[in-house]
Structure formats: structure tokens, C-alpha cells
Amino acid sequence: DSGVTQTPKHLITATGQRVTLRCSPRSGDLSVYWYQQSLDQGLQFLIQYYNGEERAKGNILERFSAQQFPDLHSELNLSSLELGDSALYFCASSGGDRSYNEQFFGPGTRLTVL
Amino acid sequence: AQSVTQLDSHVSVSEGTPVLLRCNYSSSYSPSLFWYVQHPNKGLQLLLKYTSAATLVKGINGFEAEFKKSETSFHLTKPSAHMSDAAEYFCVVSASGSARQLTFGSGTQLTVLP
């Protein structure tokens, strides 16, 4: 158990809908990262927050957005969902925001868009 | 820019024989390099990391990796495979510049035969 929790574990929804994925980092970790894992794209970095502020952006679509709250939990919002958004979404946390900081991954949220 | 190439998508070994998972990287900055493992339906777990200290890095569960700058490689090895090592392995690079996100390789599926 990494100490990172993600809810829900599974999510099934329809095209065009909007969903929110939630992540609670390990106690004391200030950085939260979001990743998308799909069969065709592999594991891709989406976005990073550090202590409430956006720190780095990867291949995140404009339909997706995220935020980190004062209690350091984070939410990833996915809107106007398409079939291709079906994937496993991971959240990770680390104590700092340096490249060498180990990231601890949550168990993921599996999103299925029908 | 940074990238990582895992040279084998699938590796199959017999239990008790050595494991070699190959990884080459490209990075404009001095990189941090990681190997993560993903067991079925689980999140990712850090096996080991290189952050410009010793070039031979020892990780958990008997795994180790050697950073070779001249060959831009970071291959993962284990002297004797165990059935529980069957999983997907990801080689990951993180540049020490302003971009702190992780870039993942495409993964190597390790099968351990009895």
C-alpha cells in the first residue's frame, strides 16, 4: 500500500458526460501528479500540482482540468467524454517537486466510456 | 526533450534464471532514471532509482540496474527470477531541468516460466 488513495476504483459513463476523479496523496506529500494509461498511448503524464499550484503540464487535453485543494487532495475533471478517454488514470504523490523525488502511485481509477 | 526506449516488449525466462530488461534513454539534462513495476490490476511500485550517485543501483526484491552514460542505457537485471517477478516493468526518465514530469517507456512484460 503506497498511501495514495484514489476514488472511485471503477467508473462507467457515456460519451459526452463529465466525471471527477479524486486523489488523496500520502500524508505530508505536497506534489500530486496525474497520469493516463491506455493501450495505445501507454503511460502519459497529464499534470502536476505542488502545494495547490499547477507546476507542470504534459499531454493533457483542453477537455480535462485538475486542481489541488488546501488539504492537498486533488481532483481530475474530464468533460465531453469520448470513447478514446477510456483508460486507467493514476495519481501519484511525492514530498517535493524535484525530478529525483520518488513518486508513490495510487491504485488507479479505471474509466470506461460507452 | 527526454525519451526512453524499452528494447523488448516481452521477455520470457525460466524460474531461477537471470533477468535482463533493456532500456535506453535520451535526455538534454542530467537525468534521473527509475524502474517501476506494475503487477496486474495494481498501481506502480518503484523498484530502484538513479540520481547521479553510484552508477550501480540496487533496488528491492534483488533487482539492480547500471547507469552507463556512454551507452545511454539503464538496463535492469536480477540474478535469479522468481514466479512473483512476473509483471510489467517500466523504465522512466526525469530530466533535472525545469520539466519534472516522468516520461515512461512503453513497458516490458516479464513472464516467468516454471
Side-chain angles (χ1 to χ4, degrees):
Chain A
D1 184 359
S2 67
V4 179
T5 60
Q6 290 186 249
T7 56
K9 289 187 83 170
H10 302 276
L11 200 48
I12 301 175
T13 188
T15 55
Q17 295 298 304
R18 173 189 167 95
V19 297
T20 297
L21 313 183
R22 183 189 169 101
C23 167
S24 292
R26 290 189 322 154
S27 178
D29 281 358
L30 298 178
S31 271
V32 169
Y33 307 78
W34 286 98
Y35 295 88
Q36 180 194 59
Q37 185 178 33
S38 62
L39 282 175
D40 53 344
Q41 303 274 6
L43 256 165
Q44 290 196 95
F45 166 74
L46 295 178
I47 197 163
Q48 177 204 359
Y49 279 82
Y50 179 78
N51 203 20
E53 293 186 2
E54 183 184 302
R55 190 57 70 102
K57 233 172 181 176
N59 298 321
I60 188 165
L61 299 171
E62 284 191 15
R63 300 183 285 108
F64 296 0
S65 65
Q67 54 184 325
Q68 187 178 27
F69 295 86
D71 67 352
L72 300 177
H73 91 271
S74 178
E75 293 181 354
L76 179 67
N77 300 296
L78 315 177
S79 61
S80 304
L81 285 167
E82 302 175 0
L83 295 177
D85 297 327
S86 295
L88 195 50
Y89 290 85
F90 286 108
C91 164
S93 75
S94 68
D97 72 338
R98 299 295 181 185
S99 60
Y100 49 77
N101 290 132
E102 177 180 351
Q103 294 184 21
F104 295 85
F105 282 77
T109 293
R110 183 168 295 281
L111 172 67
T112 302
V113 182
L114 301 175
Chain B
Q2 57 194 35
S3 65
V4 60
T5 302
Q6 291 184 244
L7 299 168
D8 307 292
S9 58
H10 291 88
V11 169
S12 187
V13 300
S14 297
E15 190 174 22
T17 64
V19 176
L20 170 63
L21 305 183
R22 298 181 296 164
C23 171
N24 288 118
Y25 71 91
S26 171
S27 176
S28 303
Y29 301 95
S30 299
S32 294
L33 293 159
F34 308 80
W35 276 97
Y36 279 84
V37 62
Q38 185 179 26
H39 287 93
N41 301 312
K42 299 275 190 182
L44 288 92
Q45 181 185 18
L46 181 69
L47 280 179
L48 50 80
K49 68 177 181 180
Y50 166 79
T51 56
S52 74
T55 57
L56 183 62
V57 182
K58 294 190 184 299
I60 62 171
N61 301 335
F63 285 95
E64 62 181 41
E66 187 172 7
F67 173 72
K68 291 187 176 179
K69 187 174 181 179
S70 60
E71 298 176 11
T72 60
S73 69
F74 190 57
H75 301 334
L76 181 70
T77 60
K78 182 173 180 177
S80 175
H82 192 272
M83 296 296 289
S84 61
D85 294 329
E88 187 148 26
Y89 292 78
F90 293 93
C91 181
V92 184
V93 64
S94 178
S96 60
S98 59
R100 295 177 175 84
Q101 64 264 33
L102 303 181
T103 299
F104 285 77
S106 54
T108 298
Q109 184 68 46
L110 176 64
T111 300
V112 181
L113 304 170

